[in-house]
Amino acid sequence: MNREAVLLGYYRAMQAELGPSRWWPGDTSFEIALGAILTQNTAWANVEKAMHNLRESGLLEPGALARLNDDEVAALIRPAGAFRVKAVRVRNFLNFLHEKCDLDMDGLRGETVEGLRPALLEVSGIGPETADSILLYALGLPSFVVDAYTRRILGRHGLIPEDIGYGELRDFFMDVLPPDVALYNEYHALIVRTGKNWCAKKAGKCASCPLAVFLEEFSPLTCVGKSIIPHP
């Protein structure tokens, strides 16, 4: 069985169990991009509180937010944690938008992943996962997002080595899957939902996991098993 078939098999198993995810929450591309920055190293519930502050203040728009100083931004996004650091990252992103598209994210719509991703990665505070989240969820560009859940699930199923880098892991999907925005969007969302509900860091609930069918033997405590699928 080839890697494409393996990955699509995992996708269909999660989709059948969990149904549609309807990610990423946000009414505008800027709101989605901002959420991707604020969610770094914090729970989404905290991000929602910060976004609520911005929404209630009429600041979920790049021009309005850009008029604030960093201390004012920090106070509003405080619930998201590391608020002073994230205020600077938000400022850096706003500066990028100002230079790139005059603070109008619709001006990025004609860009490609190959052209825009390197530019985003040059923005201080935007790493690969955040950049790919902005590309995929905010701009509808086919850039697969991988995260700790992706690494944990595939690693425990014996599909990837433990020390695989972000780029390699992203390519593990993008090298064989079609560049389909809807597929990438839903696949990442399903991985996160499966990881949160079944594949916790310390103890996996393997017996009831949607992906249990892909394991021949497993331990309820570690979720480490022997994959019935040959390593691609």
Side-chain angles (χ1 to χ4, degrees):
M1 187 177 291
N2 63 34
R3 194 195 313 170
E4 180 184 11
V6 170
L7 291 176
L8 289 176
Y10 275 54
Y11 173 79
R12 293 183 184 116
M14 291 186 291
Q15 186 181 51
E17 175 70 23
L18 299 174
S21 304
R22 300 182 179 91
W23 271 26
W24 182 303
D27 295 329
T28 67
S29 56
F30 177 70
E31 184 175 342
I32 293 169
L34 188 61
I37 295 170
L38 296 182
T39 199
Q40 295 171 355
N41 301 310
T42 194
W44 183 253
N46 298 328
V47 176
E48 288 182 322
K49 294 174 184 176
M51 298 294 271
H52 174 77
N53 289 346
L54 294 169
R55 187 177 293 107
E56 288 296 299
S57 301
L59 295 169
L60 272 179
E61 186 274 318
L65 197 56
R67 287 191 285 272
L68 302 185
N69 62 42
D70 289 353
D71 288 339
E72 290 171 324
V73 174
L76 288 162
I77 66 170
R78 189 183 187 96
F83 51 93
R84 297 190 193 282
V85 172
K86 289 182 180 178
V88 173
R89 292 176 180 175
V90 170
R91 173 70 57 199
N92 293 339
F93 181 63
L94 288 168
N95 290 339
F96 165 81
L97 290 181
H98 178 71
E99 295 173 6
K100 196 78 174 173
C101 56
D102 197 25
L103 293 174
D104 182 1
M105 285 195 67
D106 285 341
L108 301 177
R109 295 292 180 183
E111 299 276 354
T112 64
V113 171
E114 293 75 19
L116 191 53
R117 190 172 189 266
L120 280 170
L121 291 174
E122 288 181 2
V123 178
S124 179
I126 293 184
E129 185 180 338
T130 303
D132 290 327
S133 296
I134 292 171
L135 291 168
L136 179 64
Y137 292 113
L139 296 171
L141 291 171
S143 192
F144 201 93
V145 181
V146 298
D147 56 18
Y149 290 121
T150 316
R151 182 185 302 275
R152 187 181 307 154
I153 291 171
L154 269 62
R156 285 175 170 175
H157 281 241
L159 295 176
I160 58 170
E162 289 184 5
D163 60 350
I164 191 170
Y166 183 97
E168 279 187 285
L169 183 51
R170 178 175 177 265
D171 289 345
F172 187 83
F173 290 86
M174 292 188 68
D175 282 349
V176 297
L177 295 179
D180 184 324
V181 171
L183 173 64
Y184 288 6
N185 183 315
E186 185 65 9
Y187 207 141
H188 175 238
L190 289 169
I191 286 174
V192 172
R193 293 167 68 196
T194 299
K196 284 184 175 180
N197 289 300
W198 287 280
C199 202
K201 189 173 183 179
K202 293 184 178 179
K205 301 173 183 177
C206 301
S208 61
C209 177
L211 299 177
V213 65
F214 297 102
L215 294 172
E216 185 177 88
E217 299 172 359
F218 58 84
S219 162
L221 292 178
T222 62
C223 198
V224 175
K226 179 181 178 182
S227 173
I228 62 173
I229 302 173
H231 195 288

